[in-house]
PDB file of all heavy atoms in Angstrom:
ATOM      1  N   ALA J 826     119.080 116.995  92.647  1.00 98.00           N
ATOM      2  CA  ALA J 826     119.097 116.511  91.245  1.00 98.00           C
ATOM      3  C   ALA J 826     120.561 116.364  90.701  1.00 98.00           C
ATOM      4  O   ALA J 826     120.862 115.438  89.975  1.00 98.00           O
ATOM      5  CB  ALA J 826     118.291 117.494  90.350  1.00 98.00           C
ATOM      6  N   VAL J 827     121.436 117.294  91.079  1.00 97.00           N
ATOM      7  CA  VAL J 827     122.795 117.229  90.568  1.00 97.00           C
ATOM      8  C   VAL J 827     123.487 116.015  91.143  1.00 97.00           C
ATOM      9  O   VAL J 827     124.113 115.204  90.400  1.00 97.00           O
ATOM     10  CB  VAL J 827     123.562 118.534  90.968  1.00 97.00           C
ATOM     11  CG1 VAL J 827     125.017 118.388  90.626  1.00 97.00           C
ATOM     12  CG2 VAL J 827     122.918 119.723  90.244  1.00 97.00           C
ATOM     13  N   ARG J 828     123.378 115.836  92.403  1.00 97.00           N
ATOM     14  CA  ARG J 828     124.035 114.682  93.073  1.00 97.00           C
ATOM     15  C   ARG J 828     123.448 113.380  92.551  1.00 97.00           C
ATOM     16  O   ARG J 828     124.175 112.391  92.374  1.00 97.00           O
ATOM     17  CB  ARG J 828     123.796 114.838  94.575  1.00 97.00           C
ATOM     18  CG  ARG J 828     124.528 113.797  95.405  1.00 97.00           C
ATOM     19  CD  ARG J 828     126.002 114.088  95.500  1.00 97.00           C
ATOM     20  NE  ARG J 828     126.785 112.870  95.452  1.00 97.00           N
ATOM     21  CZ  ARG J 828     128.096 112.774  95.529  1.00 97.00           C
ATOM     22  NH1 ARG J 828     128.764 113.912  95.630  1.00 97.00           N
ATOM     23  NH2 ARG J 828     128.672 111.630  95.468  1.00 97.00           N
ATOM     24  N   TYR J 829     122.153 113.337  92.323  1.00 98.00           N
ATOM     25  CA  TYR J 829     121.536 112.090  91.896  1.00 98.00           C
ATOM     26  C   TYR J 829     122.092 111.675  90.538  1.00 98.00           C
ATOM     27  O   TYR J 829     122.504 110.500  90.361  1.00 98.00           O
ATOM     28  CB  TYR J 829     120.002 112.305  91.721  1.00 98.00           C
ATOM     29  CG  TYR J 829     119.214 111.029  91.360  1.00 98.00           C
ATOM     30  CD1 TYR J 829     118.434 110.415  92.328  1.00 98.00           C
ATOM     31  CD2 TYR J 829     119.298 110.471  90.076  1.00 98.00           C
ATOM     32  CE1 TYR J 829     117.727 109.225  91.991  1.00 98.00           C
ATOM     33  CE2 TYR J 829     118.604 109.295  89.794  1.00 98.00           C
ATOM     34  CZ  TYR J 829     117.830 108.687  90.751  1.00 98.00           C
ATOM     35  OH  TYR J 829     117.196 107.519  90.469  1.00 98.00           O
ATOM     36  N   ARG J 830     122.267 112.589  89.605  1.00 98.00           N
ATOM     37  CA  ARG J 830     122.759 112.172  88.291  1.00 98.00           C
ATOM     38  C   ARG J 830     124.199 111.764  88.372  1.00 98.00           C
ATOM     39  O   ARG J 830     124.643 110.892  87.605  1.00 98.00           O
ATOM     40  CB  ARG J 830     122.525 113.278  87.219  1.00 98.00           C
ATOM     41  CG  ARG J 830     122.932 112.749  85.883  1.00 98.00           C
ATOM     42  CD  ARG J 830     122.070 113.284  84.714  1.00 98.00           C
ATOM     43  NE  ARG J 830     122.572 112.624  83.506  1.00 98.00           N
ATOM     44  CZ  ARG J 830     122.028 112.789  82.301  1.00 98.00           C
ATOM     45  NH1 ARG J 830     120.991 113.612  82.139  1.00 98.00           N
ATOM     46  NH2 ARG J 830     122.520 112.167  81.237  1.00 98.00           N
ATOM     47  N   GLN J 831     124.954 112.328  89.281  1.00 97.00           N
ATOM     48  CA  GLN J 831     126.360 111.923  89.487  1.00 97.00           C
ATOM     49  C   GLN J 831     126.405 110.478  90.001  1.00 97.00           C
ATOM     50  O   GLN J 831     127.205 109.663  89.548  1.00 97.00           O
ATOM     51  CB  GLN J 831     127.105 112.842  90.459  1.00 97.00           C
ATOM     52  CG  GLN J 831     127.414 114.183  89.837  1.00 97.00           C
ATOM     53  CD  GLN J 831     127.889 115.192  90.930  1.00 97.00           C
ATOM     54  OE1 GLN J 831     128.014 114.878  92.114  1.00 97.00           O
ATOM     55  NE2 GLN J 831     128.163 116.397  90.457  1.00 97.00           N
ATOM     56  N   ASP J 832     125.522 110.179  90.989  1.00 97.00           N
ATOM     57  CA  ASP J 832     125.575 108.873  91.669  1.00 97.00           C
ATOM     58  C   ASP J 832     124.950 107.798  90.820  1.00 97.00           C
ATOM     59  O   ASP J 832     125.288 106.578  90.926  1.00 97.00           O
ATOM     60  CB  ASP J 832     124.916 108.944  93.028  1.00 97.00           C
ATOM     61  CG  ASP J 832     125.724 109.757  93.989  1.00 97.00           C
ATOM     62  OD1 ASP J 832     126.866 110.077  93.710  1.00 97.00           O
ATOM     63  OD2 ASP J 832     125.165 110.115  95.038  1.00 97.00           O
ATOM     64  N   PHE J 833     123.893 108.130  90.039  1.00 98.00           N
ATOM     65  CA  PHE J 833     123.075 107.113  89.303  1.00 98.00           C
ATOM     66  C   PHE J 833     122.993 107.611  87.848  1.00 98.00           C
ATOM     67  O   PHE J 833     121.939 108.100  87.449  1.00 98.00           O
ATOM     68  CB  PHE J 833     121.710 106.958  89.895  1.00 98.00           C
ATOM     69  CG  PHE J 833     121.725 106.770  91.428  1.00 98.00           C
ATOM     70  CD1 PHE J 833     121.373 107.831  92.296  1.00 98.00           C
ATOM     71  CD2 PHE J 833     122.143 105.549  91.960  1.00 98.00           C
ATOM     72  CE1 PHE J 833     121.415 107.648  93.647  1.00 98.00           C
ATOM     73  CE2 PHE J 833     122.204 105.372  93.333  1.00 98.00           C
ATOM     74  CZ  PHE J 833     121.837 106.424  94.181  1.00 98.00           C
ATOM     75  N   PRO J 834     124.083 107.480  87.072  1.00 97.00           N
ATOM     76  CA  PRO J 834     124.130 108.175  85.756  1.00 97.00           C
ATOM     77  C   PRO J 834     123.109 107.786  84.728  1.00 97.00           C
ATOM     78  O   PRO J 834     122.751 108.607  83.883  1.00 97.00           O
ATOM     79  CB  PRO J 834     125.580 107.866  85.262  1.00 97.00           C
ATOM     80  CG  PRO J 834     126.134 106.864  86.178  1.00 97.00           C
ATOM     81  CD  PRO J 834     125.318 106.840  87.440  1.00 97.00           C
ATOM     82  N   ASP J 835     122.565 106.563  84.819  1.00 97.00           N
ATOM     83  CA  ASP J 835     121.495 106.256  83.789  1.00 97.00           C
ATOM     84  C   ASP J 835     120.145 106.256  84.458  1.00 97.00           C
ATOM     85  O   ASP J 835     119.114 105.923  83.852  1.00 97.00           O
ATOM     86  CB  ASP J 835     121.758 104.923  83.117  1.00 97.00           C
ATOM     87  CG  ASP J 835     121.588 103.658  83.949  1.00 97.00           C
ATOM     88  OD1 ASP J 835     121.177 103.835  85.171  1.00 97.00           O
ATOM     89  OD2 ASP J 835     121.810 102.559  83.480  1.00 97.00           O
ATOM     90  N   GLY J 836     120.065 106.648  85.715  1.00 97.00           N
ATOM     91  CA  GLY J 836     118.780 106.938  86.415  1.00 97.00           C
ATOM     92  C   GLY J 836     118.305 105.761  87.285  1.00 97.00           C
ATOM     93  O   GLY J 836     117.489 105.987  88.183  1.00 97.00           O
ATOM     94  N   ARG J 837     118.841 104.581  87.088  1.00 98.00           N
ATOM     95  CA  ARG J 837     118.319 103.430  87.871  1.00 98.00           C
ATOM     96  C   ARG J 837     118.933 103.440  89.276  1.00 98.00           C
ATOM     97  O   ARG J 837     120.046 103.908  89.479  1.00 98.00           O
ATOM     98  CB  ARG J 837     118.736 102.144  87.192  1.00 98.00           C
ATOM     99  CG  ARG J 837     118.193 101.901  85.811  1.00 98.00           C
ATOM    100  CD  ARG J 837     118.776 100.654  85.214  1.00 98.00           C
ATOM    101  NE  ARG J 837     120.208 100.743  84.968  1.00 98.00           N
ATOM    102  CZ  ARG J 837     121.112  99.739  85.085  1.00 98.00           C
ATOM    103  NH1 ARG J 837     120.689  98.529  85.393  1.00 98.00           N
ATOM    104  NH2 ARG J 837     122.422  99.925  84.819  1.00 98.00           N
ATOM    105  N   ILE J 838     118.235 102.835  90.197  1.00 97.00           N
ATOM    106  CA  ILE J 838     118.833 102.560  91.549  1.00 97.00           C
ATOM    107  C   ILE J 838     118.593 101.084  91.872  1.00 97.00           C
ATOM    108  O   ILE J 838     117.486 100.611  92.062  1.00 97.00           O
ATOM    109  CB  ILE J 838     118.215 103.435  92.682  1.00 97.00           C
ATOM    110  CG1 ILE J 838     118.354 104.896  92.382  1.00 97.00           C
ATOM    111  CG2 ILE J 838     118.856 103.079  94.022  1.00 97.00           C
ATOM    112  CD1 ILE J 838     117.778 105.833  93.440  1.00 97.00           C
ATOM    113  N   GLY J 839     119.701 100.359  91.942  1.00 97.00           N
ATOM    114  CA  GLY J 839     119.658  98.936  92.438  1.00 97.00           C
ATOM    115  C   GLY J 839     118.929  97.976  91.499  1.00 97.00           C
ATOM    116  O   GLY J 839     118.710  96.815  91.887  1.00 97.00           O
ATOM    117  N   SER J 840     118.593  98.393  90.295  1.00 97.00           N
ATOM    118  CA  SER J 840     117.645  97.555  89.494  1.00 97.00           C
ATOM    119  C   SER J 840     118.312  97.062  88.198  1.00 97.00           C
ATOM    120  O   SER J 840     119.295  97.649  87.716  1.00 97.00           O
ATOM    121  CB  SER J 840     116.400  98.342  89.162  1.00 97.00           C
ATOM    122  OG  SER J 840     116.696  99.413  88.276  1.00 97.00           O
TER     123      SER J 840
END
Side-chain angles (χ1 to χ4, degrees):
V827 171
R828 184 76 217 180
Y829 186 108
R830 186 145 183 177
Q831 286 170 2
D832 290 347
F833 311 105
D835 72 2
R837 300 173 295 147
I838 303 180
S840 68

